């Protein structure tokens, strides 16, 4: 266990250094000047001397590698800087918006589980039946339909026409319904097909035939053996596709004006708020590391074959 955690920590340390360096370079190569944004040159008359003075004060006159080194030095001291736009502490700003994003992500995962587990299981249990055909058709349609288009349909139908749910902001549990359903349905299509194929593979294993030979009911065979055996691949794919989930959260937050970290980073990119963008990358890297570590640990305990191999190696 300690070796696994140490290896994961080394991996995420390298990953954070790499991704922050690459993002640091590319952000500064992108068109636009944060100094001009801060000074509001479109609304105020600003002299070139004022622009150059602020650029020197913020360190933008230094080479990019020197700027990265200065930022990394502050990062080691747990100083993530202040937002160029608001002047507030970067980490405090991100942590204030993070709970809303976690609520949306958890809500989407709950919707995905409610949709994917029954449809995938029924599709596998009744292979080539009308249930299987409908399930596969819905999963293909779900994979083809963009999440933002589905969100616009929900906003028009359930928000504007029926007026059942709010379509903007974060004001109670009802504000979470439409964004969660939109994102949950968008990602569930992948897991419907994955659960189906994983269950079909489980039913071809010897231990399924052995369980049936012992006289176990089909319900117990499904729950205690087939379904349990099919879970590890699903968990593994979830850990790998976490980045897609985070990307989907960003789109949905912007669409529903949901005040989470996704909408925050889109505004930061638009305003060239470099410290906030770097802080976002670090937080997301940490979340991906934690989730993938939990996935690896859970896989070791959910997969009997891995336990058996570890005992043999000892």
């Amino acid at each position: 266990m300690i070796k696994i955690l140490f290896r994961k920590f080394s991996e995420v340390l390298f990953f954070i250094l790499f991704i922050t360096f690459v993002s640091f370079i590319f952000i500064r190569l992108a068109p636009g000047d944060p100094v001009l944004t801060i000074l509001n040159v479109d609304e105020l008359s600003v002299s070139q001397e004022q622009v150059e003075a602020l650029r020197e004060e913020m360190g933008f006159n230094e080479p990019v590698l020197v700027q990265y080194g200065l930022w990394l030095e502050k990062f080691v001291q747990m100083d993530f800087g202040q937002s160029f736009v608001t002047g507030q502490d970067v980490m405090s700003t991100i942590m204030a918006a993070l709970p809303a994003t976690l609520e949306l992500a958890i809500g989407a995962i709950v919707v995905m589980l409610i949709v994917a587990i029954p449809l995938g299981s029924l599709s596998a249990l009744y292979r080539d039946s009308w249930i299987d055909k409908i399930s596969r058709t819905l999963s293909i349609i779900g994979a083809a339909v963009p999440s933002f288009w589905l969100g616009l349909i929900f906003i028009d139908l359930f928000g504007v026409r029926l007026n059942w749910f709010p379509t903007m902001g974060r004001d109670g549990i009802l504000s979470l319904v439409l964004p969660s359903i939109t994102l949950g349905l968008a990602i569930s299509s992948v897991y419907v097909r994955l659960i189906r194929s994983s269950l079909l593979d489980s039913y071809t294993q010897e231990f399924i035939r052995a369980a049936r030979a012992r006289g176990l009911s089909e319900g117990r065979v499904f729950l205690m053996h087939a379904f349990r055996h099919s879970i590890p691949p699903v968990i593994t794919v979830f850990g790998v596709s976490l980045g897609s989930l985070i990307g989907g959260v960003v789109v949905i937050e912007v669409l529903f004006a949901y005040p989470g970290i996704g909408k925050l980073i889109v505004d930061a990119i638009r305003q060239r708020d470099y410290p906030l963008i770097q802080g976002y990358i670090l937080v997301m890297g940490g979340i991906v590391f934690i989730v993938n570590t939990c996935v690896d640990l859970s896989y070791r305990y959910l997969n009997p074959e891995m336990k058996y191999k570890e005992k043999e190696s000892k």
Side-chain angles (χ1 to χ4, degrees), residues 172-231:
I173 191 66
L174 291 180
S175 301
L176 191 61
V177 174
L178 289 184
S180 297
I181 293 177
T182 302
L183 183 57
L185 291 178
I187 63 177
S188 62
S189 58
V190 175
Y191 292 95
V192 169
R193 289 176 291 174
L194 180 61
I195 291 173
R196 177 184 181 275
S197 62
S198 186
L199 277 172
L200 290 176
D201 178 69
S202 297
Y203 274 109
T204 62
Q205 303 298 319
E206 290 292 337
F207 63 84
I208 295 294
R209 287 190 283 270
R212 285 171 173 165
R214 294 199 303 269
L216 296 180
S217 64
E218 283 299 318
R220 287 183 61 85
V221 170
F222 171 75
L223 291 175
M224 303 301 296
H225 298 279
F227 187 74
R228 182 183 177 185
H229 182 266
S230 66
I231 287 298

Side-chain angles (χ1 to χ4, degrees), residues 27 93-94 97 101 246 249-251 253-254 260-281 284:
I27 288 171
T93 303
I94 292 175
T101 296
I246 293 173
V249 169
V250 173
V251 174
E253 285 185 358
V254 173
I261 195 173
K263 186 176 183 301
L264 181 71
I265 193 59
V266 170
D267 294 337
I269 293 173
R270 187 183 299 115
Q271 297 166 340
R272 303 294 187 273
D273 197 343
Y274 295 165
L276 201 53
I277 297 173
Q278 293 295 129
Y280 169 84
I281 293 172
M284 289 300 103

Side-chain angles (χ1 to χ4, degrees), residues 26-265:
F26 277 95
I27 288 171
R28 279 153 178 77
L29 293 177
D33 191 339
V35 174
L36 302 181
T37 303
I38 295 170
L39 292 175
N40 292 323
V41 295
D42 294 333
E43 301 177 6
L44 302 175
S45 177
V46 180
S47 64
Q48 186 63 30
E49 289 77 13
Q50 290 175 302
V51 173
E52 293 300 329
L54 183 57
R55 182 172 285 113
E56 183 176 357
E57 179 183 344
M58 301 179 71
F60 290 151
N61 58 337
E62 299 287 348
V64 176
L65 292 178
V66 175
Q67 293 181 42
Y68 178 72
L70 294 174
W71 177 87
L72 193 61
E73 182 181 356
K74 292 182 179 179
F75 166 66
V76 173
Q77 300 171 1
M78 300 304 292
D79 180 6
F80 299 92
Q82 285 76 39
S83 168
F84 288 165
V85 178
T86 64
Q88 297 178 350
D89 181 71
V90 165
M91 197 51 58
S92 299
T93 303
I94 292 175
M95 289 302 156
L98 186 59
T101 296
L102 293 179
E103 289 175 1
L104 178 55
I106 293 172
I109 293 172
V110 170
V111 172
M112 181 269 291
L113 293 175
I114 292 174
V115 173
I117 291 179
L119 283 181
S121 300
L122 290 173
S123 183
L125 291 173
Y126 301 98
R127 184 179 183 181
D128 295 329
S129 66
W130 63 271
I131 297 177
D132 185 22
K133 293 178 181 178
I134 291 176
S135 175
R136 284 186 290 173
T137 302
L138 290 176
S139 64
I140 293 173
I141 294 174
V145 173
S147 59
F148 68 86
W149 185 84
L150 188 63
L152 291 173
I153 296 297
F154 286 163
I155 289 174
D156 179 65
L157 179 60
F158 297 108
V160 178
R161 299 180 186 274
L162 299 177
N163 197 26
W164 286 357
F165 303 102
T167 59
M168 296 180 65
R170 181 191 179 209
D171 186 18
I173 191 66
L174 291 180
S175 301
L176 191 61
V177 174
L178 289 184
S180 297
I181 293 177
T182 302
L183 183 57
L185 291 178
I187 63 177
S188 62
S189 58
V190 175
Y191 292 95
V192 169
R193 289 176 291 174
L194 180 61
I195 291 173
R196 177 184 181 275
S197 62
S198 186
L199 277 172
L200 290 176
D201 178 69
S202 297
Y203 274 109
T204 62
Q205 303 298 319
E206 290 292 337
F207 63 84
I208 295 294
R209 287 190 283 270
R212 285 171 173 165
R214 294 199 303 269
L216 296 180
S217 64
E218 283 299 318
R220 287 183 61 85
V221 170
F222 171 75
L223 291 175
M224 303 301 296
H225 298 279
F227 187 74
R228 182 183 177 185
H229 182 266
S230 66
I231 287 298
V234 178
I235 295 177
T236 301
V237 172
F238 175 76
V240 173
S241 62
L242 182 62
S244 300
L245 175 62
I246 293 173
V249 169
V250 173
V251 174
I252 297 304
E253 285 185 358
V254 173
L255 180 63
F256 287 91
Y258 203 76
I261 195 173
K263 186 176 183 301
L264 181 71
I265 193 59

